[in-house]
Amino acid sequence: MRPTFIKRAIIIIIVWMVILILIYQLKILKLQHYNVPPEGKINKRIIERGTFWNNQTFKTELRETLKSREGTKAIKYLTHVLDITNLRVYVYELDPKFNLDALDCLNKRPKNYTHGAGCHYDENRGYGRADGEFGRGVKIFKQCQHGIEVVFHNKLLKSPYMTENPDEADLFFVPYYASLICFCQENVKHSDTAIWEVLKASRPYIQKKPHFFAIGVPQVDLFSNPHWTPNCHFLKKRLQSNFVKYAHIEFSPLFKDGINVPRESYIHFNTTGVKFPRINKDILVFMAGKPLKNSLRKILIRQLNDKRGKNSKKNGTYFDWNQAKKFCKDSAAKELSQIRCLLKSAQRSVFCLQPPGDTATRKSFFDTMLTGCIPVIFTHHPTYFYPFQNLIKYNYPFNYDNFTVYIKEERITKQGENIIDILSKIPRDKIRSMQEHLKVIAKYFQYGTYGNGEDAFTMSLRTILTEFNIEGKFLKKQT
């Protein structure tokens, strides 16, 4: 009897092993079908310490992981696109204290608050105050980057994707103006808690449907920046779950619930057929921004302002907001607004420098690229912070190597190289190629004022679907 029992036990073990192998294979097939790669092997101890920004080991591991994923993804879905024609988004109707009241607060008493003066979030559906046209089909709006919360809300309300029936929705948008409420500083603690109580009582949230927020500040500011708005703990105290994500203008790759979307720029297209005008680019290198305490910025400004030797104003120009009116005038010799002056100067430039500021990315990246100026970045884009890279696998043209120049910060700060010398050595055919690529992708990095049509908003919806791993139903094979 004993040998028979042992044989049966062995058979049972083998059967279970076969079943487990089959389950594992099915799981892999499912991941491949929806194009969801397994998690990369990232050093957990580094993550727990929270020292990712300065840890070279983490940066190397994450960069190699993303590079390997990008290569395998692009092959499989080369002939597919994400068709969101039938996408449906349910927008929660919240009490005004969670959104609109913050706009009134900032408009009435901007001088008493840390932010808000001159942003005009309540005008033009969140785009801000109009500042005229910038070429055919292009408008300028005086807006601050935090307006993305208002713009996203209004774009959804006017879009063909909105549904009032939660049962047919694919995504659920929560129009909570988290950063603007923080700037207002009234009832911040109460709002950060109350919004979750509202969600917990809703059926879609209980059913764990895909929910997302639009956040108008970098993720770190609503998570761990005690000097910015000390009473804001929305992200720090958030309920972490795999069915709630946050569309930020900059997020940390360490947090799995963050999604990166473009910052709102001054430039917005009012038609889908905008083309860059032919402009004589008589400035090689351009940069705008305050010196701050960043040593890289200070060195770059010094190099651009140094007119000795090869450099001249036409080779390198630093845009000083305080001195803008002295050299920015239109054809009628009338002074331009500072914003228009900035954009006109960038439009005349070949390269626009984008050194990190308080965080890794800048609003200026989007402002200047929409003028046709090639961004020069110092934070490696495959690893950190830039939008739409998860859409490369669906043949969308968001490989940043094709329209940006990446320069290691150490070349400037430690090796003493000159930025003008570095950029002047880039071949002309490479420059022309990047400029042509910018013409193709520009519309995807601005929030158009038109109705239906592709822009940063529609691409953001695609990247949100992808981050929730539910894009499979929207895949359409190209004919």
Side-chain angles (χ1 to χ4, degrees), residues 242-261:
N242 58 6
F243 64 93
V244 180
K245 295 188 181 293
Y246 307 87
H248 294 269
I249 58 174
E250 181 183 302
F251 84 99
S252 161
L254 286 182
F255 299 105
K256 296 181 181 180
D257 53 5
I259 301 172
N260 203 14
V261 297

Side-chain angles (χ1 to χ4, degrees), residues 243-300:
F243 64 93
V244 180
K245 295 188 181 293
Y246 307 87
H248 294 269
I249 58 174
E250 181 183 302
F251 84 99
S252 161
L254 286 182
F255 299 105
K256 296 181 181 180
D257 53 5
I259 301 172
N260 203 14
V261 297
R263 295 174 185 245
E264 187 179 359
S265 69
Y266 295 126
I267 291 178
H268 300 273
F269 297 173
N270 58 14
T271 178
T272 57
V274 171
K275 295 182 179 179
F276 283 170
R278 292 185 177 181
I279 299 293
N280 178 31
K281 293 186 175 292
D282 57 346
I283 300 173
L284 179 65
V285 187
F286 175 78
M287 175 181 161
K290 299 178 181 179
L292 301 179
K293 297 180 180 180
N294 187 306
S295 60
L296 173 63
R297 280 200 179 196
K298 290 182 178 179
I299 295 173
L300 292 174

Side-chain angles (χ1 to χ4, degrees), residues 368-381:
T368 56
M369 74 176 293
L370 288 170
T371 70
C373 188
I374 300 169
V376 179
I377 58 179
F378 302 85
T379 304
H380 200 246
H381 57 74

